Amino acid sequence: MNTPDPTQLDKFKQAARDLEADDDPERFKERLRKLVKHKPVEKPE
């Protein structure tokens, strides 16, 4: 039998567990900042 593919949410939860950031919200934010780069907002001319 085939097992169903994990959902996007399941993948996200597993990634959080792998980064050891799934229990503490502050640690999660810290780890997320390292993964995601924020583009600076361009000022209107």
Side-chain angles (χ1 to χ4, degrees), residues 5 8 21 23 25 28 34-35 37 43:
D5 291 337
Q8 187 69 27
D23 294 328
F28 174 78
K34 291 180 181 180
L35 294 175
K37 302 293 182 190
K43 294 182 180 179

Side-chain angles (χ1 to χ4, degrees), residues 2 4 6-9 11 14-16 18 20 23-24 26-27 29 32-36 38 41 44-45:
N2 279 342
T7 64
Q8 187 69 27
L9 177 61
K11 291 177 186 178
Q14 184 59 46
D18 292 345
E20 299 174 354
D23 294 328
D24 183 18
E26 288 303 315
R27 186 170 42 175
K29 288 178 185 178
L32 187 62
R33 280 189 210 110
K34 291 180 181 180
L35 294 175
V36 179
H38 175 66
V41 178
E45 294 180 19

